[in-house]
Amino acid sequence: MSQNTRLLAAGSTAALVAGGLFFTAAPASAAPNSAECLAAQDLFRAALDNAAADDDLSIELGAALEAVLVALAERDALVAAVPGDTEAAQEALDAALIVLADAQADVEAAQIVLDEAEATQEPLDQAVVDAQLELDVALQALADAQAKVDTATQALADAEALLVQLQADVDAAQDAVDAAILVLVDLNADVDEAQDALDAAVAAQVGLDLAVDAAQDELDLALEAQIPLNEAADAAELELNGALTVQTALEAAVTDAEGDLALAAAAQLELDAAADAAEANVASAVAAQLDLEAAVDTAADDLADANAALPVLQGDIDALTLSLGVAVEALPALQTAVDTAAVNFNAGGAVVADLQADVSLATTVRDDAVAVQAGIIAAAQAEVNTAATNAAATQAIVVTAQANLAAAIATDPQDATAIAAASAALQVANTNNATAQGLLVTAQANLAAASIPSPAVVAAEANLAALTVELAAAQTALAGLQAALTVAVNAENAGEALAASLQVDLNLAIGALAEGQQAVIDAEAALVEAQTAATANAQVILDLGVLLEQAESNQAAGLLVLADLEDALADAESDATANAAIIAELRVLLADAEADQAAGAAIIVGLQLTLDEAEGAASTNEALAVSLGVILDAATDARDAAELELERLEDVLNLALEAQADAEATIDLDALQEDIDAALADQAELEAGIDLDALRATLAAAVTAAAEGQVDVDAAQADVDAALAALAAAEDGVEEARAALAAAANLEAIIAANVRLELAIAAANEIRIDADAITTDFEAIEDLFDAAVIACSGDTTVIIDIDIDGDGTVGIIVDGVSGGGTGGVVTGGTGGGKGAANTGSNRGMNVQTATVESTPDSGLPLGGMLAAGFGLLAAAGVWARRSLTTND
C-alpha cells in the first residue's frame, strides 16, 4: 500500500510539472498486492529510474543552452549599443599612427647619421687609444729598465751587507766561545780544588774513626777493670762494718774503764773523720783536675782544628774571587756585543720602517689609481645599467606589441586595420628594441675597455711589488739581526748569571771563613776558660793539701793521746785494742780499695772524655766532608753548565761559519756588479731608442682630432635624442588614441561578454557530449506501464496507449472494447480517435489524460494509478525529447 502511495505521489508531482490533469477513480476489481502487480511495478520503476537519469542530463543541457542564449543576447546588446562616435576615435588613432610612423622614420634617419658619425669617430678614438698605449708601453719599458737597475743595485748592496753581517756573527760567536773556554778553565780548577779538599777530609776521617774505635776499646777495658775494684771496695766496707759492730760491743763492755780514753777515742774519731774528709776532698779535687786538664786538651785540639780550617776557607775565597774577577772582566765585552747587535738591529729596524713607509705610500698611490679607474668603471657600469634597463623596457614593449598583434588576429582575423596597426606597433617596438640593444652592447664594450687595468694602476702595482720584495728582504735581514741580538743578550745574561753565581759562592765562602774565625775565637775562649778552671782547681788542691796535712797532724797528736790512754787501759781494752787494730787495718784496706776504685773511676772518666773528643773530631770532620761535598757538587754543576754553554756557543759558531761559508759560496759580487752594468747598458740603449716627446705629440694630435670628430658625433646624438623624444611623444599619442577608441566602443565590456559567451558554449558542449549517449526507449516504457496496469487491474483488461512512441494511438481500452463510456475507449483532448495535442502545454508534448469508473472502496484507484503512470512518463520524456530535438 505504501508503494502505491509513493507511486501516486511521484506521478502526481510529475503530472503537475508536465502540465497534465489528474483524475482518480476506483476500479471495479483490482489486485494491487499480487505478485504479478508488484513485479510489474518494479520493472516499470527501474525503467523510470533510467529515464530519470537521462532526464537530469537533459535538464543540465537545457540549462547550459539557456546560459548560451543569455550570454549571446548580452553580447549582441552591447554590440548594438556601441555609439557612432567611434569612427572619430578611429580616425584620431589613424592620425596618431601616421605621426608615429613619421617619428619612427625620423629616428631611423637620425640614427643613420649618428652611425656614420660614430663610424668616422671610431678610428679617431682608436688612434688616441693606440697613441696612449704606445706612450704607456714606452713609459713602462723605461720603468721596467729602471726597476731592473734598482733591483741589481739592491741585490749587490744586500749581498755585501749580508757578508758583513755574517762576519760580525762569526766574530761575536768566536768571542763568546773564547770567553766560555776561560770560564770553563776556572770552573775546572774549582772542581779540582774542591775534590782535593774532599779527598783530604775523607782520608782524615779514616784516622779519626780508628781513634774513636781505640778510645772505645780502652773505655770498655777500663769499665771491665772497674768491676773487681768496685767489688773489693764493697767487700772491705762490709768487713769494716762487721769490725765496727764488734768494736761497738767491746767498747760497750769497757765503758766504765775507758773514761777519758773514750773521750780521747771520740776525739780521735773526729780527727780521723776530718782527715778522711780532707783526704776525700783532695781526691775529688785531683779527679776534677784531671777533667779540667782533659777539657784544656779538648779546647786546644778544637782551637788547632779551627786554625787549620781557616787556610782552606781562605783558599776557597781566593779561588772564587779570582773566578769572579774573570767573569766580571768578561761582562764589558759581552755588553759591547749586545750594544753592537742592538745598534745593528735598530739600523735594520729603521730600514724596515722606511721600506714600510715606502710600501704604505706605494699602496696609497696604487689605491688612488685603482679608485680613479674604479670611478671610470662605475660610470661605465652605470651606463650599462641604464642601457640594460632601457633594453629590458623596449623588450617588454616588444612582447606587449606581439601580444596585441596576436590578440587582434584572434579577435577578428578579417580586421585588417587593427592587425596593421598592431603590426606597425610591433615594428616600431622591434626598432626601438634593436636601438636599445645596440646601446647596451656599446655600453658593455665601454665597460670592458674601462675594466682593463690602466697604465697608472699597472705602474703603481709594479712599484708596490718591487717595494714589497725589498721590504721582505729587509725584514729577513732584520730577523737575522734579531737572532744575533738574541744570541748576544743570551751570552750577556749567561755571563751576568755566572758572575752572580760566583758572587753568591764567594759570599758563602766569606761567611764560612767568618764562621771559622768565630770558631777559633770560641775555641780560644774555651781554652782560656778551661785553663783558668784548671789553674783555680790546682790552687784548691794545694789548699786542700795543707788542710789534709793539718788534719793528719791533729790525728797523729790524738793517736799519741790514745796511746797513753791505751797503755793505761791495756788490760781492760786488750780485746778492744786488738779489735781496733783490726778496724784500723780494715780501714786501711777500705781506704786502699776506695783509692783504687776512685783511680779506676778517674781513668774511666778520662777515657770517656777521650772517646767524646775522638767522636767530636770524627763528627766535625764528617760535617766538613759533607760541606766539601756540597761545594764540589756546586762546582761540578757550574762546570757542567759551562760545558753545555760552551757546546751551545760552539754550535752557534759553527752555524755562523756554515752560514758565512754558504753565503760566500753562493754570493758572487762580481756577477752582481756585472748585472748592474748590464742593466745600466740596457737602460741606456732603451732610452736612446725611445722618443717620449714624439709619442706625447702624437697622442696630443690624436686627442685633438678625436675631440673635433666627437663634436659631429655629439650633434648626431642630439638629433637622435630629439627624434627619440618625438617618437616617445608620438607613441604616447597613439596610446591615448587607442584608449579613446576603447572607451568610445566600450570594448572592455564587449570583450568580457565574449568571454562569458565562450565559457557558456564550452560548458554546453561538454554536456552535449554526454547527452549524445542518451538511449531511452519510450515505447518499452509504455509497454511496461501497460503491463503493470493490466497486472494490477485483476480481471479487467486495460490497455493504455500514450502517444510517446509516435504510433498516433491515444486512449485507454477497457475489456477490449474501444469507444466511449464504461467499458469503452476514453479519449481526451479536443477530438476523438487519435486525440489532439494540448496546444500551449507540455512544450509540444502530446499528453492525454482519461478517467475510469470509480469505487468508494479504499485502495489505490485505477484512475489514480493511470494518472500517476502518465505523469511519470511525461516527466521522463518531455526534456529528453526536447534535448534530442535540440541536439539534432
Side-chain angles (χ1 to χ4, degrees), residues 470-492:
E470 293 180 11
L471 176 59
Q475 288 174 339
T476 302
L478 181 61
L481 295 174
Q482 176 67 44
L485 177 59
T486 301
V487 171
V489 171
N490 290 336
E492 182 187 22

mmCIF file with all atom_site columns, all heavy atoms in Angstrom, residues 470-492:
data_model
loop_
_atom_site.group_PDB
_atom_site.id
_atom_site.type_symbol
_atom_site.label_atom_id
_atom_site.label_alt_id
_atom_site.label_comp_id
_atom_site.label_asym_id
_atom_site.label_entity_id
_atom_site.label_seq_id
_atom_site.pdbx_PDB_ins_code
_atom_site.Cartn_x
_atom_site.Cartn_y
_atom_site.Cartn_z
_atom_site.occupancy
_atom_site.B_iso_or_equiv
_atom_site.pdbx_formal_charge
_atom_site.auth_seq_id
_atom_site.auth_comp_id
_atom_site.auth_asym_id
_atom_site.auth_atom_id
_atom_site.pdbx_PDB_model_num
ATOM 1   N N   . GLU A 1 470 ? 111.571 44.338 -1.596 1.00 0.00 ? 470 GLU A N   1
ATOM 2   C CA  . GLU A 1 470 ? 112.626 44.948 -0.790 1.00 0.00 ? 470 GLU A CA  1
ATOM 3   C C   . GLU A 1 470 ? 112.285 44.865 0.708  1.00 0.00 ? 470 GLU A C   1
ATOM 4   O O   . GLU A 1 470 ? 113.157 44.595 1.540  1.00 0.00 ? 470 GLU A O   1
ATOM 5   C CB  . GLU A 1 470 ? 112.808 46.415 -1.203 1.00 0.00 ? 470 GLU A CB  1
ATOM 6   C CG  . GLU A 1 470 ? 113.369 46.588 -2.615 1.00 0.00 ? 470 GLU A CG  1
ATOM 7   C CD  . GLU A 1 470 ? 113.548 48.048 -2.999 1.00 0.00 ? 470 GLU A CD  1
ATOM 8   O OE1 . GLU A 1 470 ? 113.439 48.897 -2.097 1.00 0.00 ? 470 GLU A OE1 1
ATOM 9   O OE2 . GLU A 1 470 ? 113.799 48.330 -4.162 1.00 0.00 ? 470 GLU A OE2 1
ATOM 10  N N   . LEU A 1 471 ? 111.015 45.124 1.020  1.00 0.00 ? 471 LEU A N   1
ATOM 11  C CA  . LEU A 1 471 ? 110.608 45.060 2.424  1.00 0.00 ? 471 LEU A CA  1
ATOM 12  C C   . LEU A 1 471 ? 110.778 43.643 2.978  1.00 0.00 ? 471 LEU A C   1
ATOM 13  O O   . LEU A 1 471 ? 111.240 43.467 4.116  1.00 0.00 ? 471 LEU A O   1
ATOM 14  C CB  . LEU A 1 471 ? 109.143 45.498 2.562  1.00 0.00 ? 471 LEU A CB  1
ATOM 15  C CG  . LEU A 1 471 ? 108.536 45.403 3.978  1.00 0.00 ? 471 LEU A CG  1
ATOM 16  C CD1 . LEU A 1 471 ? 109.330 46.262 4.946  1.00 0.00 ? 471 LEU A CD1 1
ATOM 17  C CD2 . LEU A 1 471 ? 107.063 45.816 3.969  1.00 0.00 ? 471 LEU A CD2 1
ATOM 18  N N   . ALA A 1 472 ? 110.425 42.638 2.187  1.00 0.00 ? 472 ALA A N   1
ATOM 19  C CA  . ALA A 1 472 ? 110.590 41.252 2.644  1.00 0.00 ? 472 ALA A CA  1
ATOM 20  C C   . ALA A 1 472 ? 112.056 40.938 2.897  1.00 0.00 ? 472 ALA A C   1
ATOM 21  O O   . ALA A 1 472 ? 112.410 40.304 3.909  1.00 0.00 ? 472 ALA A O   1
ATOM 22  C CB  . ALA A 1 472 ? 109.999 40.291 1.616  1.00 0.00 ? 472 ALA A CB  1
ATOM 23  N N   . ALA A 1 473 ? 112.950 41.407 1.970  1.00 0.00 ? 473 ALA A N   1
ATOM 24  C CA  . ALA A 1 473 ? 114.384 41.168 2.167  1.00 0.00 ? 473 ALA A CA  1
ATOM 25  C C   . ALA A 1 473 ? 114.885 41.882 3.431  1.00 0.00 ? 473 ALA A C   1
ATOM 26  O O   . ALA A 1 473 ? 115.651 41.318 4.220  1.00 0.00 ? 473 ALA A O   1
ATOM 27  C CB  . ALA A 1 473 ? 115.158 41.645 0.936  1.00 0.00 ? 473 ALA A CB  1
ATOM 28  N N   . ALA A 1 474 ? 114.442 43.128 3.609  1.00 0.00 ? 474 ALA A N   1
ATOM 29  C CA  . ALA A 1 474 ? 114.857 43.872 4.808  1.00 0.00 ? 474 ALA A CA  1
ATOM 30  C C   . ALA A 1 474 ? 114.334 43.210 6.073  1.00 0.00 ? 474 ALA A C   1
ATOM 31  O O   . ALA A 1 474 ? 115.019 43.152 7.090  1.00 0.00 ? 474 ALA A O   1
ATOM 32  C CB  . ALA A 1 474 ? 114.360 45.315 4.718  1.00 0.00 ? 474 ALA A CB  1
ATOM 33  N N   . GLN A 1 475 ? 113.109 42.702 6.016  1.00 0.00 ? 475 GLN A N   1
ATOM 34  C CA  . GLN A 1 475 ? 112.558 42.018 7.182  1.00 0.00 ? 475 GLN A CA  1
ATOM 35  C C   . GLN A 1 475 ? 113.320 40.732 7.477  1.00 0.00 ? 475 GLN A C   1
ATOM 36  O O   . GLN A 1 475 ? 113.526 40.369 8.642  1.00 0.00 ? 475 GLN A O   1
ATOM 37  C CB  . GLN A 1 475 ? 111.073 41.720 6.960  1.00 0.00 ? 475 GLN A CB  1
ATOM 38  C CG  . GLN A 1 475 ? 110.192 42.959 7.019  1.00 0.00 ? 475 GLN A CG  1
ATOM 39  C CD  . GLN A 1 475 ? 108.746 42.670 6.664  1.00 0.00 ? 475 GLN A CD  1
ATOM 40  O OE1 . GLN A 1 475 ? 108.466 41.664 6.009  1.00 0.00 ? 475 GLN A OE1 1
ATOM 41  N NE2 . GLN A 1 475 ? 107.838 43.546 7.051  1.00 0.00 ? 475 GLN A NE2 1
ATOM 42  N N   . THR A 1 476 ? 113.753 40.032 6.409  1.00 0.00 ? 476 THR A N   1
ATOM 43  C CA  . THR A 1 476 ? 114.564 38.827 6.617  1.00 0.00 ? 476 THR A CA  1
ATOM 44  C C   . THR A 1 476 ? 115.896 39.190 7.271  1.00 0.00 ? 476 THR A C   1
ATOM 45  O O   . THR A 1 476 ? 116.351 38.528 8.218  1.00 0.00 ? 476 THR A O   1
ATOM 46  C CB  . THR A 1 476 ? 114.805 38.137 5.269  1.00 0.00 ? 476 THR A CB  1
ATOM 47  O OG1 . THR A 1 476 ? 113.548 37.808 4.677  1.00 0.00 ? 476 THR A OG1 1
ATOM 48  C CG2 . THR A 1 476 ? 115.624 36.856 5.459  1.00 0.00 ? 476 THR A CG2 1
ATOM 49  N N   . ALA A 1 477 ? 116.540 40.265 6.750  1.00 0.00 ? 477 ALA A N   1
ATOM 50  C CA  . ALA A 1 477 ? 117.795 40.713 7.352  1.00 0.00 ? 477 ALA A CA  1
ATOM 51  C C   . ALA A 1 477 ? 117.566 41.141 8.803  1.00 0.00 ? 477 ALA A C   1
ATOM 52  O O   . ALA A 1 477 ? 118.379 40.865 9.692  1.00 0.00 ? 477 ALA A O   1
ATOM 53  C CB  . ALA A 1 477 ? 118.377 41.870 6.545  1.00 0.00 ? 477 ALA A CB  1
ATOM 54  N N   . LEU A 1 478 ? 116.428 41.810 9.042  1.00 0.00 ? 478 LEU A N   1
ATOM 55  C CA  . LEU A 1 478 ? 116.120 42.241 10.404 1.00 0.00 ? 478 LEU A CA  1
ATOM 56  C C   . LEU A 1 478 ? 115.927 41.027 11.323 1.00 0.00 ? 478 LEU A C   1
ATOM 57  O O   . LEU A 1 478 ? 116.322 41.054 12.488 1.00 0.00 ? 478 LEU A O   1
ATOM 58  C CB  . LEU A 1 478 ? 114.845 43.095 10.404 1.00 0.00 ? 478 LEU A CB  1
ATOM 59  C CG  . LEU A 1 478 ? 114.409 43.639 11.774 1.00 0.00 ? 478 LEU A CG  1
ATOM 60  C CD1 . LEU A 1 478 ? 115.493 44.539 12.361 1.00 0.00 ? 478 LEU A CD1 1
ATOM 61  C CD2 . LEU A 1 478 ? 113.094 44.407 11.645 1.00 0.00 ? 478 LEU A CD2 1
ATOM 62  N N   . ALA A 1 479 ? 115.341 39.963 10.783 1.00 0.00 ? 479 ALA A N   1
ATOM 63  C CA  . ALA A 1 479 ? 115.185 38.747 11.585 1.00 0.00 ? 479 ALA A CA  1
ATOM 64  C C   . ALA A 1 479 ? 116.552 38.169 11.958 1.00 0.00 ? 479 ALA A C   1
ATOM 65  O O   . ALA A 1 479 ? 116.766 37.712 13.088 1.00 0.00 ? 479 ALA A O   1
ATOM 66  C CB  . ALA A 1 479 ? 114.361 37.714 10.815 1.00 0.00 ? 479 ALA A CB  1
ATOM 67  N N   . GLY A 1 480 ? 117.519 38.218 10.988 1.00 0.00 ? 480 GLY A N   1
ATOM 68  C CA  . GLY A 1 480 ? 118.879 37.769 11.312 1.00 0.00 ? 480 GLY A CA  1
ATOM 69  C C   . GLY A 1 480 ? 119.514 38.631 12.384 1.00 0.00 ? 480 GLY A C   1
ATOM 70  O O   . GLY A 1 480 ? 120.171 38.118 13.296 1.00 0.00 ? 480 GLY A O   1
ATOM 71  N N   . LEU A 1 481 ? 119.330 39.942 12.253 1.00 0.00 ? 481 LEU A N   1
ATOM 72  C CA  . LEU A 1 481 ? 119.871 40.848 13.286 1.00 0.00 ? 481 LEU A CA  1
ATOM 73  C C   . LEU A 1 481 ? 119.209 40.588 14.636 1.00 0.00 ? 481 LEU A C   1
ATOM 74  O O   . LEU A 1 481 ? 119.854 40.658 15.689 1.00 0.00 ? 481 LEU A O   1
ATOM 75  C CB  . LEU A 1 481 ? 119.643 42.307 12.849 1.00 0.00 ? 481 LEU A CB  1
ATOM 76  C CG  . LEU A 1 481 ? 120.411 42.748 11.591 1.00 0.00 ? 481 LEU A CG  1
ATOM 77  C CD1 . LEU A 1 481 ? 119.990 44.154 11.193 1.00 0.00 ? 481 LEU A CD1 1
ATOM 78  C CD2 . LEU A 1 481 ? 121.921 42.703 11.823 1.00 0.00 ? 481 LEU A CD2 1
ATOM 79  N N   . GLN A 1 482 ? 117.917 40.299 14.604 1.00 0.00 ? 482 GLN A N   1
ATOM 80  C CA  . GLN A 1 482 ? 117.219 39.980 15.846 1.00 0.00 ? 482 GLN A CA  1
ATOM 81  C C   . GLN A 1 482 ? 117.800 38.713 16.481 1.00 0.00 ? 482 GLN A C   1
ATOM 82  O O   . GLN A 1 482 ? 117.991 38.636 17.700 1.00 0.00 ? 482 GLN A O   1
ATOM 83  C CB  . GLN A 1 482 ? 115.727 39.765 15.550 1.00 0.00 ? 482 GLN A CB  1
ATOM 84  C CG  . GLN A 1 482 ? 114.904 39.323 16.761 1.00 0.00 ? 482 GLN A CG  1
ATOM 85  C CD  . GLN A 1 482 ? 114.811 40.411 17.812 1.00 0.00 ? 482 GLN A CD  1
ATOM 86  O OE1 . GLN A 1 482 ? 114.592 41.567 17.485 1.00 0.00 ? 482 GLN A OE1 1
ATOM 87  N NE2 . GLN A 1 482 ? 114.988 40.057 19.068 1.00 0.00 ? 482 GLN A NE2 1
ATOM 88  N N   . ALA A 1 483 ? 118.092 37.717 15.627 1.00 0.00 ? 483 ALA A N   1
ATOM 89  C CA  . ALA A 1 483 ? 118.683 36.484 16.144 1.00 0.00 ? 483 ALA A CA  1
ATOM 90  C C   . ALA A 1 483 ? 120.063 36.758 16.755 1.00 0.00 ? 483 ALA A C   1
ATOM 91  O O   . ALA A 1 483 ? 120.409 36.243 17.825 1.00 0.00 ? 483 ALA A O   1
ATOM 92  C CB  . ALA A 1 483 ? 118.787 35.442 15.034 1.00 0.00 ? 483 ALA A CB  1
ATOM 93  N N   . ALA A 1 484 ? 120.875 37.600 16.050 1.00 0.00 ? 484 ALA A N   1
ATOM 94  C CA  . ALA A 1 484 ? 122.202 37.927 16.579 1.00 0.00 ? 484 ALA A CA  1
ATOM 95  C C   . ALA A 1 484 ? 122.087 38.677 17.913 1.00 0.00 ? 484 ALA A C   1
ATOM 96  O O   . ALA A 1 484 ? 122.842 38.425 18.849 1.00 0.00 ? 484 ALA A O   1
ATOM 97  C CB  . ALA A 1 484 ? 122.956 38.774 15.562 1.00 0.00 ? 484 ALA A CB  1
ATOM 98  N N   . LEU A 1 485 ? 121.127 39.612 17.958 1.00 0.00 ? 485 LEU A N   1
ATOM 99  C CA  . LEU A 1 485 ? 120.922 40.345 19.216 1.00 0.00 ? 485 LEU A CA  1
ATOM 100 C C   . LEU A 1 485 ? 120.496 39.385 20.334 1.00 0.00 ? 485 LEU A C   1
ATOM 101 O O   . LEU A 1 485 ? 120.947 39.500 21.475 1.00 0.00 ? 485 LEU A O   1
ATOM 102 C CB  . LEU A 1 485 ? 119.850 41.422 19.004 1.00 0.00 ? 485 LEU A CB  1
ATOM 103 C CG  . LEU A 1 485 ? 119.467 42.240 20.257 1.00 0.00 ? 485 LEU A CG  1
ATOM 104 C CD1 . LEU A 1 485 ? 120.686 42.947 20.825 1.00 0.00 ? 485 LEU A CD1 1
ATOM 105 C CD2 . LEU A 1 485 ? 118.369 43.253 19.917 1.00 0.00 ? 485 LEU A CD2 1
ATOM 106 N N   . THR A 1 486 ? 119.629 38.438 19.980 1.00 0.00 ? 486 THR A N   1
ATOM 107 C CA  . THR A 1 486 ? 119.192 37.459 20.985 1.00 0.00 ? 486 THR A CA  1
ATOM 108 C C   . THR A 1 486 ? 120.367 36.636 21.501 1.00 0.00 ? 486 THR A C   1
ATOM 109 O O   . THR A 1 486 ? 120.494 36.390 22.708 1.00 0.00 ? 486 THR A O   1
ATOM 110 C CB  . THR A 1 486 ? 118.133 36.537 20.377 1.00 0.00 ? 486 THR A CB  1
ATOM 111 O OG1 . THR A 1 486 ? 117.027 37.333 19.928 1.00 0.00 ? 486 THR A OG1 1
ATOM 112 C CG2 . THR A 1 486 ? 117.633 35.527 21.405 1.00 0.00 ? 486 THR A CG2 1
ATOM 113 N N   . VAL A 1 487 ? 121.264 36.226 20.554 1.00 0.00 ? 487 VAL A N   1
ATOM 114 C CA  . VAL A 1 487 ? 122.443 35.443 20.956 1.00 0.00 ? 487 VAL A CA  1
ATOM 115 C C   . VAL A 1 487 ? 123.330 36.272 21.887 1.00 0.00 ? 487 VAL A C   1
ATOM 116 O O   . VAL A 1 487 ? 123.808 35.793 22.932 1.00 0.00 ? 487 VAL A O   1
ATOM 117 C CB  . VAL A 1 487 ? 123.224 34.991 19.701 1.00 0.00 ? 487 VAL A CB  1
ATOM 118 C CG1 . VAL A 1 487 ? 124.576 34.379 20.107 1.00 0.00 ? 487 VAL A CG1 1
ATOM 119 C CG2 . VAL A 1 487 ? 122.409 33.976 18.928 1.00 0.00 ? 487 VAL A CG2 1
ATOM 120 N N   . ALA A 1 488 ? 123.558 37.552 21.506 1.00 0.00 ? 488 ALA A N   1
ATOM 121 C CA  . ALA A 1 488 ? 124.408 38.413 22.332 1.00 0.00 ? 488 ALA A CA  1
ATOM 122 C C   . ALA A 1 488 ? 123.785 38.638 23.715 1.00 0.00 ? 488 ALA A C   1
ATOM 123 O O   . ALA A 1 488 ? 124.467 38.602 24.739 1.00 0.00 ? 488 ALA A O   1
ATOM 124 C CB  . ALA A 1 488 ? 124.631 39.748 21.631 1.00 0.00 ? 488 ALA A CB  1
ATOM 125 N N   . VAL A 1 489 ? 122.477 38.877 23.720 1.00 0.00 ? 489 VAL A N   1
ATOM 126 C CA  . VAL A 1 489 ? 121.801 39.095 25.007 1.00 0.00 ? 489 VAL A CA  1
ATOM 127 C C   . VAL A 1 489 ? 121.861 37.841 25.868 1.00 0.00 ? 489 VAL A C   1
ATOM 128 O O   . VAL A 1 489 ? 122.098 37.904 27.086 1.00 0.00 ? 489 VAL A O   1
ATOM 129 C CB  . VAL A 1 489 ? 120.334 39.523 24.761 1.00 0.00 ? 489 VAL A CB  1
ATOM 130 C CG1 . VAL A 1 489 ? 119.558 39.532 26.080 1.00 0.00 ? 489 VAL A CG1 1
ATOM 131 C CG2 . VAL A 1 489 ? 120.291 40.916 24.133 1.00 0.00 ? 489 VAL A CG2 1
ATOM 132 N N   . ASN A 1 490 ? 121.662 36.675 25.217 1.00 0.00 ? 490 ASN A N   1
ATOM 133 C CA  . ASN A 1 490 ? 121.743 35.422 25.976 1.00 0.00 ? 490 ASN A CA  1
ATOM 134 C C   . ASN A 1 490 ? 123.152 35.229 26.546 1.00 0.00 ? 490 ASN A C   1
ATOM 135 O O   . ASN A 1 490 ? 123.318 34.784 27.693 1.00 0.00 ? 490 ASN A O   1
ATOM 136 C CB  . ASN A 1 490 ? 121.379 34.246 25.086 1.00 0.00 ? 490 ASN A CB  1
ATOM 137 C CG  . ASN A 1 490 ? 119.907 34.243 24.731 1.00 0.00 ? 490 ASN A CG  1
ATOM 138 O OD1 . ASN A 1 490 ? 119.088 34.820 25.461 1.00 0.00 ? 490 ASN A OD1 1
ATOM 139 N ND2 . ASN A 1 490 ? 119.542 33.621 23.623 1.00 0.00 ? 490 ASN A ND2 1
ATOM 140 N N   . ALA A 1 491 ? 124.210 35.568 25.720 1.00 0.00 ? 491 ALA A N   1
ATOM 141 C CA  . ALA A 1 491 ? 125.581 35.434 26.212 1.00 0.00 ? 491 ALA A CA  1
ATOM 142 C C   . ALA A 1 491 ? 125.823 36.386 27.393 1.00 0.00 ? 491 ALA A C   1
ATOM 143 O O   . ALA A 1 491 ? 126.442 36.017 28.398 1.00 0.00 ? 491 ALA A O   1
ATOM 144 C CB  . ALA A 1 491 ? 126.562 35.723 25.079 1.00 0.00 ? 491 ALA A CB  1
ATOM 145 N N   . GLU A 1 492 ? 125.329 37.629 27.265 1.00 0.00 ? 492 GLU A N   1
ATOM 146 C CA  . GLU A 1 492 ? 125.494 38.577 28.360 1.00 0.00 ? 492 GLU A CA  1
ATOM 147 C C   . GLU A 1 492 ? 124.755 38.103 29.622 1.00 0.00 ? 492 GLU A C   1
ATOM 148 O O   . GLU A 1 492 ? 125.284 38.163 30.735 1.00 0.00 ? 492 GLU A O   1
ATOM 149 C CB  . GLU A 1 492 ? 124.973 39.947 27.952 1.00 0.00 ? 492 GLU A CB  1
ATOM 150 C CG  . GLU A 1 492 ? 125.170 41.003 29.052 1.00 0.00 ? 492 GLU A CG  1
ATOM 151 C CD  . GLU A 1 492 ? 124.491 42.304 28.697 1.00 0.00 ? 492 GLU A CD  1
ATOM 152 O OE1 . GLU A 1 492 ? 123.584 42.267 27.881 1.00 0.00 ? 492 GLU A OE1 1
ATOM 153 O OE2 . GLU A 1 492 ? 124.883 43.355 29.242 1.00 0.00 ? 492 GLU A OE2 1
#
